[in-house]
Amino acid sequence: MFDTGVNILTYLSQGAWTTISIFLAATFFSFVMAFIAGLSRLAKNPFIRGFTTLYVEIFRGTSLIVQLFWLYYAVPMLFNIDLGSNWWVGVVAIALNYGAYMSEVVRSSILSIDKGQTEASVALNLSRFQRMRHIILPQALRLMLPEFGNYSIQILKGTALVSLIGLTDILYYGDIYRSSNLSEGPLAYLMVLVMYFIIALPLIWLSKKGEKISKRGVAS
Amino acid sequence: MSATYWSWETFFNAFPIILEGLKITLGLTIASYLLAMVAGFVWLILESTPVKPFNFIVYWIKEFIRSTPPIVQIFFLYFAWPMVPYVGTSFTPFVAAMLALGIHFSTYISEVYRSGIESVDKGQWEASTALNFSTRDKWTKIVLPQALPADDTDARELSDYTVQGSTACSNHRGCRHTEHRTELWRADMVLY
């Protein structure tokens, strides 16, 4: 029992790098998207605001797996756009999806900063950019940390779906293993879960840490 | 390749098929959401037992369920559960998905409950003790009525997740054979 468990784990670890690399890239790009979209939703220009709202609502309102299929099957056919590889399809879909979710975190944290801060920086004759860069963002970033930690775990869970567009990640190897050793199915899937959990452990720790940082010095 | 593959004909042909899938999606969303709401309370009760080691185990089980992908949990319940020694019963796809999603999201919902309960002022507890309320009355008459409305905004976000999760699953099982993938996207637009 224990031996088979270890065997399965080593078998699954073939897919670990795909999962981790997609996770890292998708996290990076969704942070980028989150800040772009989050800041654009606070822009003065109504077109930028409207366009970003549309993006956020569409990607938040439809499910990740459909976006993956859409990007994988439909977009290349309809618009003749080829992203190069499955890996990029997975990364782009996950990044767009969670970027939309996280942009709400960015937006709401910026909005939650006290109005007095903005007024004070106007009084000090700071430009819009300086105000954001030096006054608002440093305070807002702290508030975003715990949510970002949670979303990084969500992204990790989202990466499990890329096995459905033919990427060889942990779940893919788990499925293969199960289909060739039917009686070991429970153990195989349990090990897949354990594997994801092991990858998630540092993230859990990070989001706990983020929670602490965001609470520091705040009267509750 | 200049030809595009979009045709309105396929689009309208696919509609009835997608409506079939919509039934499953909606049913699954509602069922797993209800299950999650009930199971969320179960987590709260399990976590509030005074036995330390038990709490520790419950905490990590919850963390485990929360940070592993729901799709693997669905697969586990559907494909692997019947293979577990001494079990021998299998679930229908719908039940497997409902259980997996319900339990997965219950771990989130219990957090929502918890933060709602914590947001009730300490003074309320003290006052109800001073007024000699029983533990049961404290919960049902003082704390919960104040805690539940606080859940509202978070719960909306959660329903978002649940819908996401369940579409993921039902598309996988139910609508998989729709002629054209593009329409899948449409199906979701109808849903929201």
Side-chain angles (χ1 to χ4, degrees):
Chain A
M1 170 91 177
F2 185 76
D3 281 349
T4 20
V6 174
N7 270 347
I8 296 171
L9 270 186
T10 42
Y11 185 77
L12 293 178
S13 62
Q14 294 172 79
W17 177 239
T18 314
T19 296
I20 293 172
S21 65
I22 287 183
F23 164 71
L24 290 177
T27 311
F28 174 75
F29 286 115
S30 45
F31 271 99
V32 174
M33 281 314 290
F35 277 97
I36 293 175
L39 291 172
S40 316
R41 276 195 88 174
L42 297 167
K44 265 186 186 164
N45 187 328
F47 289 106
I48 296 179
R49 231 175 26 219
F51 181 75
T52 345
T53 310
L54 189 71
Y55 154 72
V56 170
E57 290 307 325
I58 286 179
F59 277 85
R60 258 164 44 115
T62 56
S63 64
L64 175 58
I65 190 165
V66 182
Q67 288 160 20
L68 268 174
F69 284 158
W70 177 243
L71 221 65
Y72 184 61
Y73 294 105
V75 166
M77 279 184 173
L78 282 177
F79 307 111
N80 227 348
I81 299 170
D82 200 356
L83 283 170
S85 67
N86 289 0
W87 192 85
W88 276 109
V89 171
V91 168
V92 169
I94 295 172
L96 286 175
N97 183 283
Y98 284 104
Y101 276 101
M102 283 155 73
S103 77
E104 285 293 284
V105 177
V106 173
R107 190 178 72 104
S108 63
S109 320
I110 289 175
L111 286 179
S112 73
I113 299 299
D114 197 76
K115 258 227 140 63
Q117 299 285 331
T118 315
E119 285 160 6
S121 44
V122 171
L124 288 170
N125 201 20
L126 296 177
S127 70
R128 262 178 82 84
F129 178 76
Q130 284 173 321
R131 197 160 75 209
M132 196 49 97
R133 163 76 184 74
H134 294 290
I135 310 292
I136 312 269
L137 264 189
Q139 299 179 61
L141 270 179
R142 226 174 58 152
L143 298 176
M144 298 172 197
L145 287 177
E147 279 296 301
F148 277 168
N150 285 338
Y151 274 113
S152 68
I153 299 174
Q154 299 262 2
I155 292 174
L156 176 67
K157 293 192 297 189
T159 60
L161 295 174
V162 297
S163 65
L164 300 176
I165 57 166
L167 276 165
T168 53
D169 71 339
I170 296 175
L171 179 55
Y172 173 86
Y173 281 105
D175 274 335
I176 300 244
Y177 189 91
R178 186 195 65 90
S179 53
S180 50
N181 306 275
L182 280 181
S183 62
E184 284 166 23
L187 201 56
Y189 279 131
L190 192 65
M191 287 301 145
V192 172
L193 291 172
V194 167
M195 199 106 173
Y196 276 106
F197 186 59
I198 291 170
I199 301 174
L201 276 176
L203 302 173
I204 294 172
W205 181 78
L206 271 179
S207 54
K208 291 265 144 66
K209 195 104 181 152
E211 226 161 275
K212 261 194 204 132
I213 293 174
S214 73
K215 274 192 187 136
R216 194 181 295 156
V218 178
S220 56
Chain B
M1 197 167 71
S2 59
T4 60
Y5 287 75
W6 182 266
S7 82
W8 287 103
E9 208 178 313
T10 359
F11 178 81
F12 287 114
N13 285 341
F15 233 78
I17 304 171
I18 284 161
L19 281 183
E20 274 304 298
L22 184 64
K23 273 187 221 156
I24 301 172
T25 308
L26 280 181
L28 192 54
T29 308
I30 294 166
S32 51
Y33 194 64
L34 289 178
L35 177 63
M37 279 169 73
V38 176
F41 269 114
V42 176
W43 286 116
L44 267 192
I45 294 164
L46 286 178
E47 278 190 328
S48 59
T49 48
V51 191
K52 268 273 153 68
F54 182 70
N55 280 348
F56 183 78
I57 294 168
V58 170
Y59 173 83
W60 280 106
I61 290 177
K62 200 171 135 190
E63 204 70 40
F64 184 84
I65 294 174
R66 202 146 84 122
S67 53
T68 49
I71 187 141
V72 186
Q73 292 165 357
I74 294 170
F75 283 175
F76 182 85
L77 280 186
Y78 185 62
F79 292 118
W81 184 251
M83 304 287 181
V84 174
Y86 308 115
V87 174
T89 50
S90 60
F91 297 119
T92 60
F94 187 88
V95 173
M98 184 193 82
L99 283 177
L101 290 172
I103 292 171
H104 184 88
F105 288 104
S106 72
T107 59
Y108 283 89
I109 287 193
S110 83
E111 279 316 286
V112 176
Y113 288 155
R114 210 237 302 267
S115 70
I117 288 167
E118 274 172 7
S119 73
V120 175
D121 197 78
K122 236 193 152 80
Q124 300 285 330
W125 285 100
E126 287 159 4
S128 50
T129 310
L131 290 169
N132 202 16
F133 276 55
S134 67
T135 315
R136 187 202 151 100
D137 281 353
K138 264 185 221 167
W139 278 102
T140 55
K141 299 219 168 99
I142 311 290
V143 179
L144 285 183
Q146 298 183 67
L148 291 178
D151 288 349
D152 223 43
T153 41
D154 286 329
R156 239 205 343 258
E157 198 176 306
L158 277 165
S159 69
D160 239 36
Y161 290 141
T162 324
V163 171
Q164 276 234 330
S166 61
T167 35
C169 147
S170 71
N171 279 333
H172 186 56
R173 301 239 175 282
C175 313
R176 195 111 193 242
H177 304 293
T178 3
E179 298 121 76
H180 205 295
R181 293 293 180 188
T182 48
E183 271 88 38
L184 277 178
W185 182 69
R186 266 292 172 182
D188 260 53
M189 296 310 287
V190 172
L191 217 175
Y192 294 96

